[in-house]
Amino acid sequence: MGSASSTPTLASRVPDGWWMSHKRYRYYMLFAMASGILSLGSLVLLVAVSALSKGSQAWAGFLAMLGSPAGLLLSVVVLVPTCFFAVRWLRVGVKIPQVKLGPMPAPGAGMLYVAHFGLLIGVSLLVILLLSGVVA
Amino acid sequence: MKRLEPLWWLLFGAGGFVGAVLLPALYFMVAVGFPLGWFGDPVETFLRMRTLFANPVGQLVLVVGIALPFWHSAHHLRHFVIELGFPHSDRLVGSLLYALAGVGTLVTVGVVGAL
C-alpha cells in the first residue's frame, strides 16, 4: 500500500431505505424512535411537577386532563415505547463486553440478565409502593 | 461538539439507564394510575407527592429522572439522523438537539426547584 491519497472523495453513503432491508435493522430503528419518545414522557412528568408546585387545584386539573380519552391515549403512546425501550436497553447492556476487574471472574450473561431485570423490577416496585402510599 | 463526544456518550448512557429503570413505573403511576384514581383521590395523591418530592432528595430524583432522558434522546436521535443517511447535517442537528436537551434541563431544574 502506498501513502494515503490526497484526492478528495465523497463520504461513503448508506443505501436509501437500508433499515427496511432486515428485521434486525427495523427493530433497531424502532429502538431509536422509542428513545426519542422517552423525552415525551419526561415532558409529561415536567408538566406534572409544575402542576404539583402550583397547588392541589392545578394538580387535580392535570389529573383530569390525563384521565380524559386523549390523555390516556397519550399515556399509551408514551408507555408502550418506554417499556419496549427499557427491555431492549437492559438486554443490550448484557451484550456489552464484560470487563474483568481484579481477581474476580467477569460475570456471565445469565448473572447480568438477573441483575439488570432484577434492578428494573426492584426499582419499579419501590416506585409503585412509595407513590401508592403502601410504604410511607 | 466533537470534542465533547465523551460527555454526550456519558449523558446518553446515564439517560438510557434512568429511562429504562425509573421512567416506566414513575410514568405509569403519574400518568395512568393517579388520573384513573387507582391510588387515591387527587387531594390524597397531591399530599403524597408533595411529601415524597418537596425535599432535596426528592427534587434530586425528579431532576435526574426527568432531565437525563432528554440527553439520551438527543444523542440517540442525532445518530438516528446520521444513520438515515444525513451525516453532513450532523453539526446542525446535533447542536440543535443538545441545545434542546440543555433548555429542557434548565427548565426542569427551575420547575423542580419551585416545589
Side-chain angles (χ1 to χ4, degrees), chain A residues 55-68:
Chain A
S56 58
Q57 293 274 38
W59 177 251
F62 168 78
L63 294 186
M65 184 182 72
L66 275 190
S68 69

Side-chain angles (χ1 to χ4, degrees), chain B residues 12-25:
Chain B
F12 166 78
F17 180 78
V18 166
V21 172
L22 181 64
L23 213 54

Side-chain angles (χ1 to χ4, degrees), chain A residues 11-14 16 18-19 28-29 31-33 35-46 48-56 59-60 62-64 66-67 71-72 74-75 78-79 82-83 85-87 89-90 116 119-120 123-125 127-128 130-133, chain B residues 12-32 34-36 39 41-43 45-50 52-53 62 65-74 76-77 79-80 82-85 87-88 104 107-109 111-112 114-115:
Chain A
S12 60
R13 188 171 181 277
V14 292
D16 288 338
W18 63 271
W19 55 278
Y28 172 77
M29 294 310 251
F31 179 50
M33 286 188 270
S35 76
I37 289 174
L38 284 185
S39 280
L40 189 55
S42 278
L43 275 178
V44 173
L45 290 177
L46 194 56
V49 176
S50 174
L52 202 58
S53 70
K54 288 176 185 159
S56 58
W59 177 251
F62 168 78
L63 294 186
L66 275 190
L72 290 172
L74 172 68
S75 293
V78 171
L79 208 49
T82 299
C83 291
F85 171 85
V87 171
W89 177 265
L90 295 173
H116 284 195
L119 187 67
L120 172 64
V123 170
S124 298
L125 276 177
V127 169
I128 290 169
L130 282 172
L131 268 62
S132 64
Chain B
F12 166 78
F17 180 78
V18 166
V21 172
L22 181 64
L23 213 54
L26 190 58
Y27 191 86
F28 168 76
M29 292 299 288
V30 172
V32 180
F34 288 167
L36 292 179
F39 303 104
D41 62 40
V43 175
T45 56
F46 173 78
L47 293 174
R48 199 181 304 138
M49 288 290 279
R50 293 281 310 186
L52 281 171
F53 294 112
L62 284 178
I66 293 173
L68 280 177
F70 287 143
W71 292 98
H72 176 87
S73 297
H76 213 154
L77 289 177
H79 283 273
F80 181 70
I82 292 171
E83 285 151 4
L84 280 179
H88 301 300
V107 172
T108 302
V109 170
V111 168
V112 172
L115 262 182

Side-chain angles (χ1 to χ4, degrees), chain A residues 2 8 15 64 99:
Chain A
V99 179

